[in-house]
């Protein structure tokens, strides 16, 4: 199954997106945007930057969990992963973003 971007409104009324893998698991989540057009620009930035390994910032949480951020060319964070129990699981999450983001359909739940 192919991945998909879901656009939704958060509790503050801001527009966000999340990238889901083919099995429906969330692999990347965005910040909140005030305008839907900015959210769509964020999705396009993920599509482009997800193909550049250096744009993935591999991190560790204070609790010792692995996670990553995807950064744009201007170094702004455009997406954040969930926390993983191991660096291997995190690296699989990065591979999944690289695989699914370029051709993922967009499902807009705000329309």
């Amino acid at each position: 199954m192919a991945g998909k971007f879901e656009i939704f409104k958060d509790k503050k009324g801001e527009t966000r997106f999340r990238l889901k893998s083919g099995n429906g698991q969330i692999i990347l989540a965005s910040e909140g945007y005030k305008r839907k057009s900015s959210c769509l620009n964020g999705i396009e930035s993920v599509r482009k930057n997800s193909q550049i390994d250096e744009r993935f910032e591999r991190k560790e949480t204070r609790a010792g969990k692995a996670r990553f951020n995807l950064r744009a060319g201007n170094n702004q964070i455009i997406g954040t992963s969930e926390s993983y129990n191991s660096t291997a699981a995190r690296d699989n999450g990065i591979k999944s973003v690289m695989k699914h983001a370029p051709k993922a359909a967009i499902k807009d739940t705000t329309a």
Side-chain angles (χ1 to χ4, degrees), residues 22-103:
N23 65 6
Q25 190 172 14
I26 298 170
I27 51 177
L28 191 73
S30 76
E31 65 180 2
Y33 296 95
K34 300 214 181 293
R35 295 186 320 241
K36 188 189 290 187
S37 61
S38 298
C39 184
L40 291 167
N41 287 340
I43 289 172
E44 289 310 310
S45 185
V46 168
R47 289 186 195 278
K48 181 175 114 182
N49 290 288
S50 67
Q51 301 308 293
I52 305 167
D53 186 68
E54 295 78 29
R55 299 284 165 84
F56 288 93
E57 176 185 33
R58 291 148 174 93
K59 302 182 68 152
E60 190 174 294
T61 68
R62 288 186 208 147
K65 302 272 187 172
R67 69 177 323 155
F68 65 87
N69 291 322
L70 177 59
R71 292 186 175 270
N74 64 3
N75 209 31
Q76 184 177 3
I77 295 173
I78 49 178
T80 301
S81 74
E82 65 178 350
S83 294
Y84 296 95
N85 290 323
S86 69
T87 56
R90 178 204 57 211
D91 293 345
N92 283 338
I94 290 170
K95 287 177 188 171
S96 188
V97 171
M98 293 176 102
K99 175 183 174 184
H100 292 289
K103 296 185 183 199

